[in-house]
Amino acid sequence: MEKHAYPQLVRTFQRLSRFSHLSAIAGWDMATMMPPGGSRARGEALAELGVLQHQLLTDKKVGAWIEAAQQEDLSEDERANLREMRRAYDQAALLPESLVEAKSLAGNRCEHAWRSQRKNNDWQGFAPNLKEVVRLSREEAAIRAEAKGCSRYDALLDIYEPGMTGARLDVLFADLKRWLPSLLQEVVDKQASRPCLDPQGPFPTEKQRDLGLHAMGLLGFDFDRGRLDISAHPFCGGVPEDVRITTRYNEDDVLSALFGVIHETGHARYEQNLPPQWAGQPVGHARSMGVHESQSLFFEMQLGRSPAFLQHLLPAIRQRFGDQPAFTLDNFVAWSQRVKPGYIRVDADEVSYPAHVILRYEIERALIDGDIEVEDIPGLWDEKMQQYLGLSTAGNYQNGCMQDIHWTDGGFGYFPSYTLGAMYAAQLFSAARRALPDLDAHLNAGNFSPLFNWLRQNIWQHGSRFTTAELLTMATGEELNSDFFRQHLTARYL
């Protein structure tokens, strides 16, 4: 055994990071630029790269180095890095190489076919591919659950939101389900008495793209280290040094792509401001997907739909789409804050959004735990949409159970992070407001720097040094408290 194990680990994780970089950019290209005929070859190449990373990470030497490094004289930050290394190693070492490869191939096949199948409302064509992804995800969940001594679903949830459990989510979501439906109804009733004007399109894609770039600039996106493109489903990918964000355009609707871009810019700013001294090391990664979603929702909902931000965006909108009656400040704010239960999660307002997440959580947990099968999804989806949002998706797979990309590549356990993120975001914004007494004056003047500096200081610069609970407590003075989310929605909409 080498005398100094920790430096060996640092070198190994640096190599892994470089492979992840290539994988991220190849994945981004697959979703944005690649001709359809390249799908199979790219899927195989990415699976091969995944196997290579798995081999490197699960090498017996890595496990031995982790044990040896525990005894070495390390700084506090190095100890945090070692903790994250152990977590990465333990997560990977559980899975056989064959499963890693099979899951990657099945996910790429399902996701690629989904792009055209969704457009064609083709559930019959989609279901067989999804079944294979579910089969492999259940296999993975069973292996992880046995090792961790928890439920299958909790084992997958832990990948995205370390420390979170289905039992804790059930309590949080039961609380939401207690007060959200009546709040939603109150807001809809209140807004019905004050109708607002719809902007008149069409809104040409090129001008929408230009507007998105303008919004990214207002929000401090670093264009030397990132870019904006088009994909079937909006996402933020790449690496901190080269962040790729995407959106999709609809020429009849200017809000969807715009707020999609603002959402992804929140993810991007987090990535671009992770601690550079820890680049390529696990402690330099974003804390969790819930914390990641808190940043995108902080940008899109807390800041992006606030009158203070919208008033600075409006001149750019008038400049590109004309000065029509819908673009008075009062109307534009009312329109951007309009609450209307709809089919599509990524276009949902922040009041009805949690219903979309709870629905997916309940279905995916039952699916992974083996209580339902793929064939049951459309019926259950329709039933829950009617129950939570008063809408039917019977036969409408495209805008129902086929609308998201997450399940196509086995991202089971991810969806709860969206609503956790909304709760974290409300709590963070409240803390920022307490810490910065003149925040409103800054925002009204178009000076967003104090807010971003607060985020950099309290969230971004820490990477994965602390657990989610520690990070939130340090930033806000307490652990997750869903009351902040309720207070935010009540104050903004009622």
Side-chain angles (χ1 to χ4, degrees):
M1 176 55 58
E2 284 80 0
K3 195 170 163 207
H4 297 295
Y6 181 76
Q8 305 278 7
L9 288 168
V10 169
R11 270 194 291 279
T12 301
F13 278 87
Q14 190 69 60
R15 286 188 71 200
L16 279 165
S17 171
R18 286 166 184 157
F19 286 139
S20 292
H21 182 157
L22 296 176
S23 180
I25 299 301
W28 164 85
D29 175 77
M30 192 176 187
T32 56
M33 304 283 185
M34 190 189 74
S39 169
R40 186 174 163 189
R42 180 65 55 85
E44 288 168 355
L46 282 168
E48 193 70 51
L49 195 50
V51 168
L52 191 61
Q53 287 170 272
H54 187 260
Q55 287 171 343
L56 186 59
L57 179 53
T58 57
D59 189 314
K60 292 267 189 292
K61 282 188 301 197
V62 174
W65 287 334
I66 288 172
E67 291 307 321
Q70 303 281 6
Q71 312 309 317
E72 293 179 358
D73 183 22
L74 303 178
S75 71
E76 213 173 309
D77 284 356
E78 287 169 337
R79 288 247 163 253
N81 195 33
L82 183 60
R83 178 198 72 217
E84 295 301 307
M85 287 171 167
R86 175 177 281 282
R87 177 176 155 77
Y89 174 78
D90 288 347
Q91 290 274 22
L94 291 172
L95 301 184
E97 205 174 281
S98 56
L99 179 57
V100 172
E101 183 175 30
K103 201 168 171 248
S104 176
L105 286 169
N108 282 320
R109 194 180 310 119
C110 186
E111 190 272 326
H112 187 74
W114 163 83
R115 291 184 220 171
S116 55
Q117 287 164 344
R118 180 185 176 221
K119 273 191 216 127
N120 299 327
N121 201 42
D122 179 14
W123 170 257
Q124 299 323 119
F126 175 65
N129 283 336
L130 183 61
K131 270 186 204 166
E132 181 61 7
V133 171
V134 168
R135 184 183 72 77
L136 294 166
S137 298
R138 282 174 173 170
E139 201 178 312
E140 175 185 355
I143 294 168
R144 293 191 183 285
E146 194 177 339
K148 289 182 74 74
C150 64
S151 79
R152 290 177 181 193
Y153 185 74
D154 279 6
L156 296 185
L157 183 61
D158 187 66
I159 297 171
Y160 303 104
E161 200 57 18
M164 186 53 69
T165 63
R168 179 90 202 279
L169 284 177
D170 284 344
V171 172
L172 287 167
F173 289 171
D175 178 52
L176 269 181
K177 288 201 293 194
R178 192 172 48 74
W179 57 262
L180 194 65
S182 56
L183 179 86
L184 177 59
Q185 194 54 54
E186 265 185 88
V187 175
V188 169
D189 292 346
K190 180 185 173 187
Q191 292 188 352
S193 65
R194 298 188 207 158
C196 56
L197 293 171
D198 283 348
Q200 298 306 302
F203 306 100
T205 293
E206 207 36 61
K207 287 186 177 179
Q208 285 199 54
R209 175 182 156 75
D210 193 46
L211 177 65
L213 292 168
H214 173 77
M216 289 163 72
L218 277 181
L219 294 167
F221 184 88
D222 180 354
F223 289 98
D224 278 344
R225 297 190 299 141
R227 53 180 287 144
L228 170 68
D229 292 279
I230 297 176
S231 68
H233 194 92
F235 70 89
C236 173
V239 291
E241 303 80 357
D242 179 9
V243 181
R244 306 296 175 98
I245 73 176
T246 71
T247 193
R248 58 185 178 209
Y249 297 101
N250 170 357
E251 298 208 331
D252 297 325
D253 177 7
V254 72
L255 269 199
S256 176
L258 175 63
F259 281 105
V261 166
I262 292 171
H263 178 99
E264 301 306 339
T265 301
H267 283 305
R269 291 290 323 265
Y270 186 17
E271 287 290 320
Q272 289 181 334
N273 287 277
L274 287 168
Q277 71 275 26
W278 288 104
Q281 294 301 308
V283 78
H285 295 169
R287 172 61 252 163
S288 72
M289 290 326 299
V291 175
H292 229 310
E293 292 302 340
S294 79
Q295 299 310 289
S296 56
L297 291 167
F298 192 103
F299 273 59
E300 179 194 0
M301 299 297 187
Q302 298 288 328
L303 176 62
R305 291 184 196 261
S306 69
F309 181 74
L310 292 170
Q311 68 175 338
H312 292 290
L313 198 55
L314 195 50
I317 290 177
R318 289 191 189 121
Q319 192 187 337
R320 286 159 184 82
F321 303 112
D323 194 2
Q324 46 177 285
F327 293 151
T328 63
L329 181 60
D330 285 351
N331 190 79
F332 183 60
V333 170
W335 183 57
S336 301
Q337 293 184 356
R338 189 160 54 178
V339 171
K340 188 182 177 191
Y343 294 107
I344 304 296
R345 176 186 62 82
V346 297
D347 294 339
D349 59 83
E350 61 182 329
V351 185
S352 61
Y353 194 100
H356 290 270
V357 172
I358 292 170
L359 171 151
R360 287 157 173 76
Y361 159 67
E362 290 173 348
I363 292 176
E364 71 175 13
R365 189 168 79 166
L367 194 60
I368 291 301
D369 287 342
D371 300 332
I372 63 168
E373 295 302 330
V374 167
E375 291 82 357
D376 302 318
I377 294 175
L380 263 174
W381 192 287
D382 178 46
E383 188 185 304
K384 289 179 184 290
M385 276 299 276
Q386 294 196 52
Q387 186 187 340
Y388 298 156
L389 291 166
L391 299 167
S392 172
T393 55
N396 183 359
Y397 311 113
Q398 177 182 13
N399 295 323
C401 57
M402 283 180 71
Q403 65 179 275
D404 295 297
I405 202 169
H406 307 61
W407 290 346
T408 63
D409 64 357
F412 298 99
Y414 188 110
F415 277 121
S417 58
Y418 288 112
T419 289
L420 289 170
M423 291 176 181
Y424 296 150
Q427 191 163 329
L428 289 169
F429 207 92
S430 173
R433 187 160 258 135
R434 289 196 303 276
L436 305 167
D438 46 3
L439 178 61
D440 286 329
H442 284 301
L443 297 181
N444 284 322
N447 176 18
F448 307 123
S449 298
L451 187 59
F452 298 149
N453 290 338
W454 187 88
L455 284 174
R456 185 179 294 108
Q457 200 178 329
N458 288 281
I459 302 294
W460 299 344
Q461 68 160 350
H462 295 306
S464 280
R465 273 182 67 200
F466 306 105
T467 66
T468 304
E470 288 168 346
L471 187 67
L472 202 62
T473 303
M474 285 163 53
T476 71
E478 59 182 297
E479 280 197 37
L480 176 60
N481 178 348
S482 60
D483 286 350
F484 288 103
F485 184 51
R486 185 179 184 172
Q487 288 161 14
H488 160 68
L489 294 180
T490 306
R492 176 172 283 179
Y493 295 97
L494 293 177

